[in-house]
Amino acid sequence: MPAPDDELRPRSDSGTGTGTGTGAAVPLPSPTRPTAARGSSGPRQSDRWRERYGPGAVVTGASNGIGRELARHLAAEGLNLVLVARRRSALDQTAADLATQSSIATR
C-alpha cells in the first residue's frame, strides 16, 4: 500500500490505454534530482547561473516588491544588474544597497 503522501496518477485497467479503466491510482516514483553535497568540488550555484544566463540581468520594478526581491536574489548570485523602476529615488537607493551588499555592478 502506498504512503499517503506519494504522488498518484490514474491507471487504466482496460489495457487499451484509453483511460477508461476503474480510475484506480498507482504511486509515481519519486523524481531523482542530482544534488551537490556541501563542500563538494562541483560548480557553485552562482557559476551555474552565469553559465546558463550570462553575467547580468535586467530587472523591472526593482524599487520595491517582487522586483526588488528578485534583484536581491540575483545580486546574491553575483549577477550584475540593470535596474528599471518608475521612482528614481527608490531605485537609486536599491542600487546602492545591492552594490554594497553583494559587490556587483548596477546601472
Side-chain angles (χ1 to χ4, degrees), residues 10-45:
R11 177 179 69 193
S12 170
D13 289 333
S14 67
T16 63
T18 60
T20 58
T22 62
V26 295
L28 290 174
S30 297
T32 57
R33 294 185 182 126
T35 56
R38 292 195 184 271
S40 70
S41 62
R44 294 182 346 189
Q45 177 71 23

Side-chain angles (χ1 to χ4, degrees), residues 5-102:
D5 59 342
D6 284 346
E7 294 184 56
L8 301 176
R9 69 172 179 208
R11 177 179 69 193
S12 170
D13 289 333
S14 67
T16 63
T18 60
T20 58
T22 62
V26 295
L28 290 174
S30 297
T32 57
R33 294 185 182 126
T35 56
R38 292 195 184 271
S40 70
S41 62
R44 294 182 346 189
Q45 177 71 23
S46 58
D47 294 338
R48 289 189 297 240
W49 275 78
R50 285 181 173 275
E51 182 179 309
R52 185 170 184 180
Y53 299 111
V58 175
V59 180
T60 59
S63 63
N64 71 25
I66 294 171
R68 183 180 177 125
E69 290 305 310
L70 178 60
R72 288 180 58 204
H73 177 77
L74 295 173
E77 293 295 336
L79 288 142
N80 294 319
L81 300 174
V82 174
L83 304 174
V84 180
R86 291 181 293 173
R87 296 179 302 140
R88 179 67 184 247
S89 60
L91 181 64
D92 290 341
Q93 183 62 48
T94 299
D97 292 346
L98 293 174
T100 301
Q101 294 168 1
S102 302

